[in-house]
Amino acid sequence: MNHYILNTIAFKDQLDEGVSQADLVSKAKNSGFNFVEIRNEFLDGSTAELEKIKQAADSVAIGVYYSVNDPLIKKGQVNPDIDRYISEMKALGSSHLKMNVGNVDNISSTFADDLKAKISANGEFEFNVENNQTLEESELENIVAFFKLVDKSKLPIGFCFDTANWYWTESEPNTAAEQLASVTKYLHLKNKSGTGNSKSATSLDKGEIDIKSLISKFNVNEYGFEYAAPSAEIEHDLNEIMALN
């Protein structure tokens, strides 16, 4: 089964007004998605909200992904908050966790073993890292170097390939796809318009990237939609992507 995931940034105006993501879960379902991606930076930090989101997802039969806007690698070590993020993922009723990569420079010689122990102690779940818009963390060479370590150490980590973020880190998606398609499990879909300091994320038909051509370079079944747009645009994009499969 393909996973079509709506990231709650789709409802950015409501998030900025303080609306709980628990109240947005049904909107993702009503737009035709079978998963919703919860963003940790918009949570209030309470276990009550996590439970409320889980109950909302269960009530409309939609799955949950968990997106954490924090790097896996911090000062060369495994991020010390990873245990909390895994616990939050479980409280959401999710088995999908995504973090940013972090900088591989000066990475600890025990990093791989430490991370492997953290993952194996928490049962089975899908763990991906993503390219964000931060040059230090998501320059293409940095991510390629990280996945060389993943391969060497047999770490159970995949890549969430964000189609547009490359333009914020001095690269572009087709070049990145050539080097990272083999490790990509999950696509974060959005387009890009503008240049320099005027760049912005757009819905899939409105930017400069040939999204359908780019998608053809990957063998995945997880498609996340991560941009703010009117519901009609998002639903149109969803139908276009679903028609490819």
Side-chain angles (χ1 to χ4, degrees):
M1 179 186 72
N2 286 335
H3 293 192
Y4 298 102
I5 308 118
L6 185 60
N7 187 287
T8 57
I9 202 65
F11 312 108
K12 187 175 187 302
D13 288 347
Q14 291 167 267
L15 291 171
D16 288 343
E17 292 170 359
V19 173
S20 171
Q21 291 176 92
D23 297 322
L24 302 173
V25 168
S26 62
K27 293 179 181 291
K29 179 73 172 185
N30 292 340
S31 291
F33 292 86
N34 55 0
F35 286 83
V36 62
E37 186 162 45
I38 301 300
R39 299 177 71 99
N40 81 309
E41 70 266 36
F42 289 103
L43 293 171
D44 66 14
S46 71
T47 55
E49 186 179 32
L50 300 175
E51 179 59 28
K52 188 177 179 183
I53 291 169
K54 181 182 184 302
Q55 290 175 354
D58 289 345
S59 70
V60 296
I62 191 170
V64 177
Y65 277 54
Y66 187 34
S67 172
V68 172
N69 186 26
D70 201 15
L72 173 61
I73 307 166
K74 268 197 172 177
K75 297 180 179 178
Q77 306 288 336
V78 177
N79 188 321
D81 290 322
I82 191 170
D83 292 322
R84 173 165 62 86
Y85 297 141
I86 293 172
S87 294
E88 290 170 348
M89 173 196 73
K90 291 179 178 180
L92 288 165
S94 175
S95 58
H96 301 269
L97 176 64
K98 180 184 66 61
M99 297 178 69
N100 299 326
V101 179
N103 193 315
V104 300
D105 289 347
N106 303 313
I107 196 165
S108 165
S109 61
T110 64
F111 175 88
D113 288 339
D114 293 343
L115 181 56
K116 197 175 294 185
K118 295 280 188 187
I119 294 173
S120 63
N122 281 282
E124 289 193 16
F125 65 97
E126 181 181 297
F127 191 14
N128 293 313
V129 291
E130 180 184 17
N131 57 302
N132 63 10
Q133 295 179 1
T134 305
L135 182 59
E136 180 185 5
E137 297 179 8
S138 294
E139 187 177 28
L140 179 56
E141 290 79 5
N142 182 72
I143 294 175
V144 169
F146 175 74
F147 275 98
K148 287 180 180 177
L149 172 64
V150 167
D151 180 61
K152 180 181 178 182
S153 304
K154 302 293 189 291
L155 286 167
I157 300 175
F159 190 51
C160 174
F161 185 106
D162 187 293
T163 56
N165 282 350
W166 301 106
Y167 289 104
W168 278 261
T169 60
E170 301 179 356
S171 189
E172 62 85 41
N174 287 298
T175 300
E178 291 174 5
Q179 299 190 57
L180 294 168
S182 64
V183 296
T184 298
K185 292 183 180 178
Y186 179 16
L187 291 175
H188 250 188
L189 302 175
K190 58 173 171 274
N191 215 316
K192 186 274 296 187
S193 64
T195 59
N197 293 330
S198 298
K199 291 190 294 292
S200 62
T202 71
S203 54
L204 303 189
D205 280 349
K206 289 196 168 182
E208 302 160 19
I209 305 168
D210 185 341
I211 291 291
K212 291 180 182 178
S213 174
L214 182 60
I215 286 175
S216 71
K217 301 177 186 296
F218 298 90
N219 180 23
V220 300
N221 68 349
E222 299 174 70
Y223 302 90
F225 293 65
E226 193 200 25
Y227 50 89
S231 295
E233 285 186 27
I234 293 172
E235 291 171 19
H236 166 79
D237 287 351
L238 172 61
N239 289 331
E240 291 285 303
I241 300 305
M242 290 177 74
L244 298 176
N245 296 291

